Amino acid sequence: MVSFDIKDLNIWFGQKQALSSVNLKILNNEILSVIGPANSGKTTFLRMLDRLNELQPNFRMSGSVFFEREDIRKMDLEFLRRKVGMVFAMPMPLPLSIFDNIVYGVRMHGKKDKRSLKGIVEEALKKAYLWDEVKDRLSESAYKLSGGQQQRLCIARTLAVEPEVVLFDEPCSGLDPISTAKVEEAMLKLKEDYTLVLVTNNVKQAARVGDRTAFFLNGQLIETDRTEKIFTAPGDQRTDDYIRGKFG
């Protein structure tokens, strides 16, 4: 089943074209790794999936992006962003307790029952592989957590509102190897229930977790294939050169 269907997508910011003629299907319950050098368009592509690019006043686009067969430009924005969550590069916990961080979005959607909220917090933290580390500290400030724990907290906060897709924009860029491994472990488990799109500058990470990998260069989608094939026998020489570190 197809989660997102992107057809002939072009994006401009003012006179600068950021994406050109992108065609791609994102499948349910897969991890799609998105790789490419700086300014290749991969983050613009990711932000398009929950319409964050629209926050730029000089943004315009052509083509179409369908989420579960519905044009995202015609969808209620709040509904879309509930179904398609985003985890950013830098952890951004709210100045609240661990518990209140997790339920912040849930409360915004009207859930107030304390027993229900406790269950949501526990489930979300378990899915983010953080429960055992913080279950006795839920009333403490989220700022007391380490950087890696804060990132997993942000993942849990995203999961608490029950999305169907989770977008990751370089989620491990500021983390140490141990914290990175825990985030990757969580992602591999999450794909059982969610569709994941991972933008990463770490090609080894893309190879470790991606079911498929998409390579972007200069605003173009060069190729998409099974991750194993991309990393062993890519169809385009530019993909091979990037993976081997010849540019980027």
Side-chain angles (χ1 to χ4, degrees):
M1 295 289 291
V2 175
S3 179
F4 276 97
D5 190 0
I6 298 98
K7 298 180 178 180
D8 197 27
L9 176 64
N10 296 273
I11 290 179
W12 295 265
F13 296 102
Q15 298 300 312
K16 179 177 175 56
Q17 187 163 7
L19 288 177
S20 177
S21 301
V22 173
N23 291 277
L24 177 63
K25 287 179 170 61
I26 300 172
L27 309 179
N28 288 339
N29 300 103
E30 76 167 346
I31 301 177
L32 176 69
S33 293
V34 180
I35 61 173
N39 301 313
S40 61
K42 56 189 187 294
T43 295
T44 298
F45 169 77
L46 190 75
R47 290 169 64 89
M48 186 63 242
L49 300 179
D50 67 353
R51 294 174 53 186
L52 280 174
N53 289 319
E54 295 177 17
L55 297 173
Q56 300 289 336
N58 58 352
F59 162 80
R60 62 189 176 93
M61 67 167 281
S62 66
S64 57
V65 179
F66 289 90
F67 174 58
E68 297 181 344
R69 300 183 180 180
E70 185 173 353
D71 188 335
I72 64 170
R73 287 179 293 180
K74 298 178 181 178
M75 295 177 69
D76 176 78
L77 194 54
E78 181 179 341
F79 176 80
L80 174 66
R81 290 181 180 164
R82 181 175 179 178
K83 291 294 184 181
V84 184
M86 172 81 84
V87 177
F88 296 93
M90 296 300 296
M92 294 189 293
L94 301 168
L96 303 169
S97 69
I98 295 169
F99 184 95
D100 288 335
N101 260 272
I102 302 299
V103 300
Y104 183 82
V106 178
R107 285 171 170 158
M108 293 278 286
H109 292 298
K111 287 189 178 181
K112 306 291 184 182
D113 178 69
K114 288 186 178 180
R115 180 178 296 180
S116 177
L117 292 178
K118 286 181 180 179
I120 289 169
V121 168
E122 181 174 348
E123 182 179 6
L125 287 170
K126 283 181 176 177
K127 287 182 175 179
Y129 281 57
L130 188 58
W131 172 251
D132 289 339
E133 297 171 41
V134 302
K135 61 185 178 182
D136 298 320
R137 304 167 55 193
L138 298 180
S139 62
E140 290 185 13
S141 169
Y143 289 158
K144 291 186 177 180
L145 298 175
S146 69
Q149 289 174 326
Q150 287 185 9
Q151 189 62 296
R152 282 179 284 147
L153 176 74
C154 292
I155 293 172
R157 187 175 66 202
T158 299
L159 298 177
V161 297
E162 300 180 334
E164 295 178 16
V165 179
V166 183
L167 312 176
F168 293 88
D169 189 7
E170 300 179 32
C172 303
S173 61
L175 304 185
D176 61 78
I178 294 176
S179 296
T180 294
K182 289 183 178 180
V183 170
E184 291 178 2
E185 185 178 7
M187 293 177 67
L188 289 168
K189 184 67 175 176
L190 288 173
K191 76 172 183 178
E192 295 177 7
D193 300 308
Y194 306 90
T195 299
L196 310 180
V197 184
L198 167 67
V199 163
T200 178
N201 286 325
N202 185 337
V203 294
K204 291 182 179 179
Q205 180 177 65
R208 285 193 297 266
V209 303
D211 296 298
R212 292 191 303 145
T213 295
F215 173 57
F216 280 77
L217 180 65
N218 296 327
Q220 295 182 313
L221 174 58
I222 303 303
E223 64 176 308
T224 308
D225 212 324
R226 291 178 297 105
T227 294
E228 181 182 3
K229 187 173 186 301
I230 287 286
F231 280 85
T232 57
D236 192 289
Q237 185 62 45
R238 292 169 293 180
T239 308
D240 191 56
D241 288 346
Y242 176 74
I243 289 171
R244 293 175 182 274
K246 292 184 178 180
F247 68 93

